[in-house]
């Protein structure tokens, strides 16, 4: 959970305008931080900046192929943490770096807000943080006002404070490992990858969230793709194993690979196939898949889409399987030359 409770914790704020370099849009740099004199505006900005992160449990860290110190955003944030008086200078460097990588023709220009928070709560720990936020999209707002005892309408363009286009919070935790970083990006299209990959240059932290997400993906791919190749298995059996997997992740606090294999898969041949596939998964995706780790509930909730219990039969039927696997039976009708399922039940509602 990420939270900033008081506008006073918003220590410094500056705004720059970053256009698209390839379209020859301008880069407009502020000369000094903004003075927030209106508390209402300050609170609106605080909500605009922080609200999108409040339930974000996925964290990243800065990285670089050669040397972490060569990651520009990491370097400039480190300098701000070390010397708060360098905030404006480093905010300019951050804006120039964003402008330099904003070369895709579909990247939109917009206002870049850089904020220094003196206090920010992240997962119960109170730390200093730097926020980098970008607004790219404008909305049209109606203005209703009284003129000569009659109401009139007009409109104006502005920023929708309920939707942050792009954001990044850098927490002053674990500098040697690339800090703890949270990211928001409302545009997941390919042209928007520049925010995470080209500008921030981050990778997911190897924490419980990442480990849970990776293992859920591994289990889903093994059950749906690998098991049918090695064993005779129909779609109902696959759904049953996916349900058992979902139950395991929801009910357990810690993942243990041997326990999962025995409780969910059961059959020795399937257990061996799972262990072999896990090694293959590690090598192919270059991901660490530890034997034991704490299960992240937010990651399980996000990955629930992988535990689908829907049996699709041609274009005629969708059968949702929620309960006992023994209550559904598969067969083949030679007279009709078609497959069929029998469903056994006691009550019809």
């Amino acid at each position: 959970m990420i939270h900033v409770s008081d506008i006073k914790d918003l220590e410094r704020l500056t705004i720059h305008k970053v256009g698209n370099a390839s379209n020859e849009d301008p880069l407009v740099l502020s000369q000094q931080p903004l003075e927030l004199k209106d508390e209402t505006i300050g609170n609106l900005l605080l909500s605009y900046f922080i609200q999108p992160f409040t339930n974000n449990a996925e964290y990243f860290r800065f990285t670089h192929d050669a040397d972490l110190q060569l990651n520009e955003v990491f370097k400039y944030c480190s300098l701000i943490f070390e010397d708060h008086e360098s905030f404006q200078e480093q905010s300019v460097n951050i804006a120039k770096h964003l402008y330099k990588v904003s070369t895709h023709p579909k990247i939109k220009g917009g206002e870049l807000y850089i904020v220094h928070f003196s206090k920010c709560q992240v997962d119960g720990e109170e730390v200093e943080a730097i926020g980098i936020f970008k607004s790219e999209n404008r909305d049209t707002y109606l203005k209703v006002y009284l003129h000569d005892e009659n109401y009139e309408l007009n409109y104006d363009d502005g920023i929708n404070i309920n939707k942050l286009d792009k954001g990044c919070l850098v927490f002053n935790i674990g500098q040697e490992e690339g800090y703890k970083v949270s990211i928001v990006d409302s545009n997941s299209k390919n042209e928007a990858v520049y925010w995470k990959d080209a500008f921030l240059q981050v990778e997911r932290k190897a924490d419980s969230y990442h480990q849970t997400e990776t293992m859920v993906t591994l289990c889903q791919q093994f059950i749906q793709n690998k098991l049918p190749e090695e064993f005779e298995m129909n779609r109902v059996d696959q759904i049953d194993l996916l349900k058992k997997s979902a139950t395991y992740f929801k009910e357990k606090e810690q993942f243990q690979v041997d326990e999962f294999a025995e409780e969910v898969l059961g059959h020795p041949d399937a257990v061996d196939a799972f262990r072999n596939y896990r090694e293959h998964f590690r090598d192919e995706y270059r991901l660490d898949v530890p034997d034991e780790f704490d299960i992240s509930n937010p990651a399980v909730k996000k990955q629930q889409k992988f535990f689908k219990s829907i049996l699709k039969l041609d274009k005629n039927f969708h059968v949702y399987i929620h309960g006992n696997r023994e209550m559904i039976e598969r067969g083949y009708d030679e007279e009709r030359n078609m497959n069929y399922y029998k469903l056994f039940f006691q009550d019809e509602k």
Side-chain angles (χ1 to χ4, degrees):
M1 177 70 74
I2 297 170
H3 184 59
V4 177
S5 58
D6 196 328
I7 186 59
K8 295 177 183 177
D9 296 332
L10 198 161
E11 195 78 17
R12 295 170 180 83
L13 163 66
T14 192
I15 305 174
H16 306 296
K17 183 67 177 286
V18 180
N20 186 313
S22 64
N23 295 337
E24 298 184 356
D25 295 336
L27 170 65
V28 182
L29 301 169
S30 298
Q31 299 303 305
Q32 59 187 16
L34 178 70
E35 289 188 33
L36 284 176
K37 298 180 180 179
D38 190 314
E39 187 173 344
T40 300
I41 293 178
N43 285 320
L44 287 172
L45 282 173
L46 197 61
S47 176
Y48 176 55
F49 294 149
I50 300 299
Q51 185 61 35
F53 293 89
T54 52
N55 294 318
N56 198 349
E58 183 178 17
Y59 296 106
F60 296 79
R61 69 180 186 93
F62 291 114
T63 186
H64 194 277
D65 291 339
D67 184 347
L68 181 59
Q69 296 297 326
L70 297 177
N71 183 303
E72 295 193 52
V73 180
F74 169 84
K75 175 183 175 182
Y76 302 141
C77 288
S78 296
L79 291 172
I80 295 174
F81 286 137
E82 291 169 9
D83 179 11
H84 297 166
E85 296 305 315
S86 71
F87 170 79
Q88 186 64 24
E89 176 187 354
Q90 303 311 327
S91 78
V92 169
N93 288 331
I94 291 172
K96 288 180 178 178
H97 173 53
L98 178 59
Y99 185 70
K100 183 175 65 177
V101 301
S102 299
T103 56
H104 192 286
K106 291 187 179 181
I107 291 175
K108 297 178 181 179
E111 291 79 17
L112 182 69
Y113 306 81
I114 301 176
V115 185
H116 173 218
F117 297 100
S118 59
K119 294 178 184 177
C120 186
Q121 276 201 353
V122 52
D123 298 337
E125 185 175 0
E126 192 171 83
V127 297
E128 187 181 4
I130 294 167
I132 305 171
F133 314 100
K134 188 184 178 191
S135 61
E136 297 177 335
N137 296 300
R138 295 279 184 171
D139 285 337
T140 301
Y141 297 92
L142 284 175
K143 297 170 65 176
V144 182
Y145 59 95
L146 189 63
H147 179 70
D148 293 336
E149 298 184 355
N150 289 305
Y151 281 100
E152 296 187 7
L153 287 173
N154 205 337
Y155 68 92
D156 201 356
D157 287 337
I159 298 168
N160 184 349
I161 64 169
N162 295 314
K163 184 179 180 182
L164 178 66
D165 292 310
K166 287 176 172 57
C168 166
L169 282 171
V170 182
F171 305 101
N172 194 6
I173 301 172
Q175 180 183 14
E176 300 80 7
E177 300 173 355
Y179 291 119
K180 188 173 187 176
V181 182
S182 184
I183 295 174
V184 166
D185 190 346
S186 64
N187 190 346
S188 59
K189 295 180 181 178
N190 292 333
E191 65 267 16
V193 172
Y194 82 98
W195 180 255
K196 181 170 72 74
D197 293 346
F199 173 54
L200 296 173
Q201 296 182 68
V202 292
E203 65 180 14
R204 287 176 176 170
K205 287 180 68 69
D207 54 16
S208 63
Y209 186 101
H210 173 63
Q211 291 163 343
T212 303
E213 185 179 55
T214 300
M215 184 56 73
V216 168
T217 302
L218 187 157
C219 294
Q220 178 259 342
Q221 290 185 7
F222 171 72
I223 293 170
Q224 291 194 330
N225 302 329
K226 188 63 178 177
L227 271 182
E229 292 178 2
E230 299 192 16
F231 305 95
E232 186 176 342
M233 173 175 288
N234 57 46
R235 179 60 182 152
V236 174
D237 294 328
Q238 286 182 316
I239 290 173
D240 187 51
L241 286 179
L242 287 172
K243 282 172 51 192
K244 288 180 179 178
S245 299
T247 300
Y248 182 92
F249 282 103
K250 289 177 183 177
E251 294 182 353
K252 301 287 186 178
E253 294 183 356
Q254 188 179 59
F255 180 89
Q256 296 181 352
V257 65
D258 291 337
E259 178 187 68
F260 173 84
E262 296 296 334
E263 290 188 10
V264 175
L265 301 173
H267 194 282
D269 292 341
V271 170
D272 290 341
F274 175 72
R275 288 172 177 153
N276 292 333
Y277 184 79
R278 179 167 164 260
E279 295 303 318
H280 166 76
F281 189 92
R282 276 176 167 173
D283 296 338
E284 181 176 358
Y285 296 100
R286 298 180 182 179
L287 291 171
D288 180 33
V289 188
D291 292 347
E292 299 181 5
F293 57 85
D294 292 334
I295 293 175
S296 165
N297 290 329
V300 172
K301 186 175 181 180
K302 182 180 178 182
Q303 299 296 100
Q304 281 181 343
K305 61 185 177 181
F306 290 126
F307 299 123
K308 292 181 179 178
S309 59
I310 305 173
L311 179 64
K312 297 181 180 180
L313 307 177
D314 299 331
K315 295 183 179 180
N316 296 318
F317 306 102
H318 284 185
V319 181
Y320 292 80
I321 303 173
H322 302 297
N324 189 346
R325 163 67 180 87
E326 303 302 320
M327 295 296 104
I328 182 169
E329 181 181 303
R330 193 175 192 271
Y332 179 76
D333 189 319
E334 294 185 358
E335 188 175 323
R336 296 191 180 189
N337 195 28
M338 297 181 71
N339 299 306
Y340 67 82
Y341 280 101
K342 285 182 181 180
L343 306 179
F344 299 91
F345 63 93
Q346 292 181 337
D347 299 317
E348 182 177 356
K349 297 180 181 179

